Amino acid sequence: MNPWIDITVPLSPGMAHWPGDRPYEVDRVEDMSRGAVMNLSAISLSAHTGTHMDAPLHFVAEGPAIDRMPLDAGIGPARVVAIRNPARIALDEVGSCDVQPGERILFKTVNSNSEWWSEPFQERFVAIPADVAAHLAARRPALIGVDYLSAGAFQGDGVETHQLLLGAGIWLVEGLALTHVDPGRYELVCVPLSMAGVEGAPARAAIRRVQAD
C-alpha cells in the first residue's frame, strides 16, 4: 500500500488567518516544566483557521451545520487538479477536467497558495470566481478543496462563490497543504471536528495515491 500524505496545515501561533478573525492562540494552563503534574492547554481560534471545512450553514441561513456532514463527503476517491492560471481558478481549466456528480476535487494552484502559511495573510490568493462556482454548483461534486483560507476571493465575488457552492450542497475544505502533491487520483480522508450547530470546523486531511494519470 502507498503511504498516506498529510495535507493538513499544522495549527501554530502566528500563522496566517483571515483578517478580522480570531487568530490561533495556545495557553498552557498546566505545565510540567513549572511543577504541574501534567501538561494542559487551552486554545482559542476561529472555526475557519488553517485546514478547515465549511458547512452550508456558513452562507446558507437554514443550511446544515458541520456536525451534519455525511462522513462519505470527505472520505473516498478524490482528484487533485493542477490549476495553471496564476490569477484565478478559471473556467477553461475547470471545464476541461469534467467534474462529475459526487466527486471530490482538490484544486492545487500554480504558485501554490500553500506556501503562504508562515507569512501574513495574502489578499491576492488564487480563488474560485463566481462563474466557476456556478459551473461547479451545476455539476454537483460532493466536495471541493482549495489550498488557501477561502474558496472565494478576498475581495469581489467571494461571498457569491460561497453562496453558490454551499447552496448547492457542496462541502468545502479550505487551507489544504498541496505544495508537494502531484496532480492525479487519490484516496481522501478528510474529517472535521463534529461541532453541533457550528458553520465550520478545523479538519484533518490525508490522501493516498491510487492511480497515476
Side-chain angles (χ1 to χ4, degrees), residues 21-109:
D21 281 5
R22 182 173 295 180
Y24 175 70
E25 297 177 340
V26 180
D27 179 20
R28 183 61 68 85
V29 178
E30 299 282 351
D31 196 325
M32 294 176 70
S33 69
R34 298 198 301 264
V37 297
M38 62 179 173
N39 293 315
L40 178 67
S41 298
I43 62 174
S44 174
L45 75 167
S46 162
H48 302 268
T49 303
T51 303
H52 66 277
M53 292 197 71
D54 287 358
L57 182 62
H58 191 27
F59 280 88
V60 179
E62 301 301 324
I66 199 69
D67 60 309
R68 300 287 302 278
M69 187 192 93
L71 288 178
D72 60 1
I75 300 174
R79 278 197 288 162
V80 175
V81 174
I83 298 298
R84 307 194 183 285
N85 188 312
R88 65 185 62 83
I89 297 174
L91 188 57
D92 58 343
E93 292 190 272
V94 174
S96 67
C97 70
D98 192 26
V99 175
Q100 296 296 306
E103 273 202 287
R104 302 164 193 85
I105 302 293
L106 312 180
F107 290 118
K108 176 182 178 177
T109 55

